Amino acid sequence: FLRLKARMEAEGLFAAERKKTIPERPAKIGIATSASGAALQDILNTLRRRYPLAEVVLAPCAVQGDDAPPQIVRSIAALNLEPGMEVILVARGGGSLEDLWAFNDERVVRAIADSELPVITGIGHETDITLADFAADVRAATPTAAAEQAVPDQAELREQFLTVASLLGSAWQQRYNAERGLLQDFGRRLELRSPSWR
């Protein structure tokens, strides 16, 4: 693990300048995880609660065992080819060090580092760190936290919207009052120039 980490670090795969920015309000989110795992349900529930506007695409893959690394790589590649995709979540719930080992596989780490789309990892629990986390653009402590990192909170967006609506309403009222005052002034001037007034 440490030898592979040092080699990939020397290649610059974990460098900060390689990290891509996560879009603020993604319209389409890809998920690479097991279709039957609890992690997927946690992610979907979080996305639905926080930002139901986003379209979600699942690229199912094994997340442990010998078949997991090539499947994870294929899922990341497939999501990169999906039209309109903006961000990818690579996730898996907690487990033993052996259960999470697929995310230390060099192929998986390179697939994440080479992804054209930004990748957020949410692998295991808070204390679990894999090589995939180092390669990701953002590392979240859990799958739920990865979903939270991917999208804004609709409650915060609603507050921002209400603030902007209030500012626009005030600006419109001020403009209306100013224009109305001008129109009344022009009306008085016109009245003073009328032949009947004179």
Side-chain angles (χ1 to χ4, degrees):
F1 176 90
L2 292 175
R3 276 197 303 273
L4 184 56
K5 179 177 181 281
R7 181 160 57 79
M8 296 182 114
E9 204 163 20
E11 283 183 49
L13 292 181
F14 307 151
E17 56 270 13
R18 285 182 62 109
K19 306 291 181 192
K20 293 173 275 309
T21 306
I22 307 300
E24 281 186 36
R25 289 183 280 281
K28 198 168 184 181
I29 300 167
I31 305 173
T33 191
S34 168
S36 59
L40 176 61
Q41 289 313 309
D42 291 345
I43 290 169
L44 293 175
N45 290 338
T46 303
L47 292 176
R48 247 183 254 115
R49 177 177 45 84
R50 286 178 62 91
Y51 195 67
L53 298 175
E55 179 185 348
V56 178
V57 176
L58 173 65
C61 56
V63 290
Q64 73 181 60
D66 293 339
D67 294 337
Q71 286 188 30
I72 296 167
V73 169
R74 276 196 299 275
S75 290
I76 293 169
L79 291 170
N80 267 280
L81 295 174
E82 181 77 26
M85 190 63 65
E86 293 186 58
V87 63
I88 297 172
L89 307 183
V90 176
R92 186 224 136 86
S96 67
L97 182 64
E98 291 78 16
D99 291 342
L100 302 178
W101 201 254
F103 297 94
N104 292 321
D105 187 282
E106 184 171 356
R107 295 166 290 179
V108 172
V109 176
R110 288 191 185 281
I112 290 171
D114 294 340
S115 173
E116 295 203 9
L117 297 168
V119 175
I120 302 172
T121 53
I123 300 163
H125 298 303
E126 185 103 28
T127 53
D128 298 318
I129 296 185
T130 65
L131 294 178
D133 292 318
F134 290 111
D137 299 294
V138 172
R139 180 230 174 220
T142 63
T144 301
E148 289 172 349
Q149 291 280 335
V151 295
D153 188 351
Q154 68 175 336
E156 290 172 20
L157 289 177
R158 190 178 295 115
E159 282 299 315
Q160 290 172 8
F161 175 78
L162 292 173
T163 301
V164 169
S166 175
L167 290 171
L168 283 173
S170 296
W172 182 86
Q173 190 64 48
Q174 286 175 348
R175 175 81 186 263
Y176 170 78
N177 291 340
E179 296 291 336
R180 185 173 180 211
L182 278 173
L183 190 60
Q184 287 173 341
D185 187 42
F186 285 138
R188 275 193 232 87
R189 286 189 200 171
L190 190 58
E191 194 177 297
L192 290 174
R193 291 181 182 217
S194 103
S196 62
W197 176 262
R198 287 185 179 184

